[in-house]
Coordinates of all heavy atoms in Angstrom, one line a residue:
R1 N 59.6 -23.2 -1.3 CA 59.0 -21.8 -1.5 C 57.9 -21.9 -2.5 O 57.6 -21.0 -3.2 CB 60.1 -20.8 -1.9 CG 61.1 -20.5 -0.9 CD 61.8 -19.2 -1.1 NE 62.5 -19.2 -2.4 CZ 63.0 -18.1 -3.0 NH1 62.8 -17.0 -2.5 NH2 63.6 -18.2 -4.2
N2 N 57.2 -23.1 -2.4 CA 56.0 -23.3 -3.3 C 56.3 -23.1 -4.8 O 55.5 -22.6 -5.6 CB 54.8 -22.4 -2.8 CG 54.4 -22.7 -1.4 OD1 54.2 -23.8 -1.0 ND2 54.3 -21.7 -0.6
A3 N 57.5 -23.4 -5.2 CA 57.9 -23.2 -6.6 C 57.2 -24.3 -7.4 O 56.9 -25.4 -7.0 CB 59.4 -23.4 -6.7
F4 N 57.1 -23.9 -8.7 CA 56.4 -24.8 -9.6 C 57.2 -26.0 -10.1 O 58.4 -25.8 -10.4 CB 56.0 -24.0 -10.9 CG 54.9 -23.1 -10.7 CD1 55.1 -21.7 -10.9 CD2 53.6 -23.5 -10.4 CE1 54.0 -20.8 -10.7 CE2 52.6 -22.6 -10.2 CZ 52.8 -21.3 -10.4
D5 N 56.6 -27.1 -10.1 CA 57.1 -28.2 -10.9 C 56.0 -28.9 -11.6 O 54.8 -28.4 -11.5 CB 57.9 -29.3 -10.0 CG 57.0 -29.9 -9.0 OD1 55.8 -29.7 -8.9 OD2 57.6 -30.7 -8.2
A6 N 56.2 -29.9 -12.4 CA 55.2 -30.5 -13.2 C 54.0 -31.0 -12.3 O 52.8 -30.9 -12.7 CB 55.7 -31.7 -14.0
E7 N 54.3 -31.6 -11.1 CA 53.2 -32.1 -10.3 C 52.3 -31.0 -9.8 O 51.1 -31.1 -9.8 CB 53.9 -32.8 -9.1 CG 52.8 -33.4 -8.1 CD 53.5 -34.0 -6.9 OE1 54.7 -34.0 -6.7 OE2 52.7 -34.5 -6.0
L8 N 53.0 -29.9 -9.3 CA 52.2 -28.8 -8.8 C 51.3 -28.1 -9.9 O 50.1 -27.8 -9.7 CB 53.1 -27.7 -8.2 CG 52.4 -26.5 -7.6 CD1 51.3 -26.9 -6.5 CD2 53.4 -25.5 -7.0
I9 N 51.9 -28.0 -11.1 CA 51.1 -27.4 -12.2 C 49.9 -28.3 -12.5 O 48.8 -27.8 -12.7 CB 52.0 -27.3 -13.4 CG1 53.0 -26.2 -13.2 CG2 51.2 -27.0 -14.7 CD1 54.1 -26.1 -14.2
N10 N 50.1 -29.6 -12.5 CA 49.0 -30.5 -12.8 C 47.9 -30.5 -11.7 O 46.7 -30.4 -12.0 CB 49.5 -32.0 -13.0 CG 48.4 -32.9 -13.2 OD1 47.7 -32.9 -14.2 ND2 48.2 -33.9 -12.3
E11 N 48.3 -30.4 -10.5 CA 47.4 -30.4 -9.4 C 46.6 -29.1 -9.3 O 45.4 -29.1 -9.0 CB 48.1 -30.7 -8.0 CG 48.6 -32.1 -7.9 CD 49.1 -32.4 -6.5 OE1 48.7 -31.7 -5.5 OE2 49.9 -33.4 -6.3
L12 N 47.3 -28.0 -9.6 CA 46.5 -26.7 -9.6 C 45.5 -26.7 -10.8 O 44.4 -26.3 -10.6 CB 47.5 -25.6 -9.8 CG 48.1 -24.9 -8.6 CD1 49.1 -23.9 -9.0 CD2 46.9 -24.2 -7.8
S13 N 45.9 -27.2 -11.9 CA 44.9 -27.3 -13.0 C 43.7 -28.1 -12.6 O 42.6 -27.7 -12.9 CB 45.6 -27.9 -14.3 OG 46.7 -27.1 -14.7
Q14 N 43.9 -29.3 -12.0 CA 42.8 -30.1 -11.6 C 41.9 -29.5 -10.6 O 40.7 -29.6 -10.6 CB 43.3 -31.5 -11.1 CG 44.0 -32.3 -12.2 CD 43.1 -32.7 -13.3 OE1 41.9 -33.0 -13.1 NE2 43.6 -32.6 -14.5
A15 N 42.5 -28.8 -9.6 CA 41.8 -28.2 -8.5 C 40.8 -27.1 -9.0 O 39.8 -26.9 -8.4 CB 42.8 -27.6 -7.5
F16 N 41.2 -26.4 -10.1 CA 40.4 -25.3 -10.6 C 39.4 -25.7 -11.7 O 38.6 -24.9 -12.2 CB 41.3 -24.2 -11.1 CG 41.7 -23.3 -10.0 CD1 42.9 -23.5 -9.3 CD2 40.9 -22.2 -9.6 CE1 43.3 -22.7 -8.3 CE2 41.3 -21.3 -8.6 CZ 42.5 -21.6 -7.9
V17 N 39.5 -27.0 -12.2 CA 38.6 -27.5 -13.2 C 37.2 -27.4 -12.8 O 36.3 -27.0 -13.5 CB 39.0 -28.9 -13.7 CG1 37.9 -29.5 -14.5 CG2 40.3 -28.8 -14.5
D18 N 36.9 -27.9 -11.5 CA 35.6 -27.9 -11.0 C 35.6 -27.5 -9.6 O 36.0 -28.2 -8.7 CB 35.0 -29.3 -11.1 CG 33.6 -29.4 -10.7 OD1 33.0 -28.4 -10.4 OD2 33.0 -30.5 -10.5
V19 N 35.2 -26.3 -9.3 CA 35.1 -25.8 -8.0 C 33.8 -26.0 -7.3 O 33.5 -25.5 -6.2 CB 35.5 -24.3 -7.9 CG1 36.9 -24.1 -8.5 CG2 34.5 -23.4 -8.7
G20 N 32.9 -26.7 -8.0 CA 31.6 -27.1 -7.4 C 30.8 -25.8 -7.1 O 30.7 -24.9 -7.9
R21 N 30.2 -25.8 -5.9 CA 29.3 -24.7 -5.6 C 30.0 -23.5 -4.8 O 29.3 -22.7 -4.2 CB 28.1 -25.2 -4.8 CG 27.1 -26.1 -5.6 CD 26.0 -26.6 -4.7 NE 25.0 -27.3 -5.5 CZ 24.0 -26.8 -6.1 NH1 23.8 -25.4 -6.0 NH2 23.1 -27.5 -6.7
A22 N 31.3 -23.6 -4.9 CA 32.1 -22.6 -4.1 C 31.7 -21.2 -4.6 O 31.6 -20.9 -5.8 CB 33.6 -22.8 -4.3
R23 N 31.5 -20.3 -3.7 CA 31.2 -18.9 -4.0 C 32.4 -18.0 -4.1 O 32.4 -16.9 -4.6 CB 30.2 -18.3 -3.0 CG 28.9 -19.1 -2.9 CD 27.9 -18.4 -2.0 NE 27.5 -17.1 -2.5 CZ 26.6 -16.3 -1.9 NH1 26.0 -16.7 -0.8 NH2 26.3 -15.1 -2.4
A24 N 33.5 -18.6 -3.6 CA 34.8 -17.9 -3.7 C 35.9 -18.9 -3.5 O 35.7 -19.9 -2.8 CB 34.9 -16.7 -2.7
V25 N 37.1 -18.6 -4.1 CA 38.2 -19.5 -3.9 C 39.4 -18.7 -3.4 O 39.7 -17.6 -3.9 CB 38.7 -20.1 -5.3 CG1 39.9 -21.0 -5.1 CG2 37.5 -20.9 -5.9
V26 N 40.0 -19.1 -2.3 CA 41.2 -18.4 -1.7 C 42.4 -19.2 -2.1 O 42.5 -20.4 -1.8 CB 41.1 -18.3 -0.2 CG1 42.4 -17.8 0.4 CG2 39.9 -17.5 0.2
L27 N 43.3 -18.6 -2.9 CA 44.5 -19.2 -3.3 C 45.7 -18.7 -2.5 O 45.9 -17.5 -2.4 CB 44.8 -18.9 -4.8 CG 46.1 -19.5 -5.4 CD1 46.1 -21.0 -5.4 CD2 46.2 -19.0 -6.9
A28 N 46.4 -19.6 -1.8 CA 47.4 -19.2 -0.8 C 48.6 -20.1 -1.0 O 48.6 -21.1 -1.7 CB 46.9 -19.2 0.6
G29 N 49.7 -19.7 -0.3 CA 50.9 -20.5 -0.3 C 51.4 -20.7 1.1 O 51.4 -19.8 1.9

């Protein structure tokens, strides 16, 4: 159910560090 663990927390942090030229980010599960 897309629950948090250490891996998911780390990957989410990395994904949002640099979104490049994105004009919008869609966050979904």
Side-chain angles (χ1 to χ4, degrees):
R1 295 198 299 163
N2 298 314
F4 287 116
D5 63 3
E7 180 185 3
L8 180 56
I9 290 169
N10 178 64
E11 290 190 20
L12 266 173
S13 296
Q14 293 300 317
F16 278 90
V17 164
D18 182 10
V19 298
R21 293 179 172 273
R23 299 187 65 177
V25 180
V26 174
L27 178 61

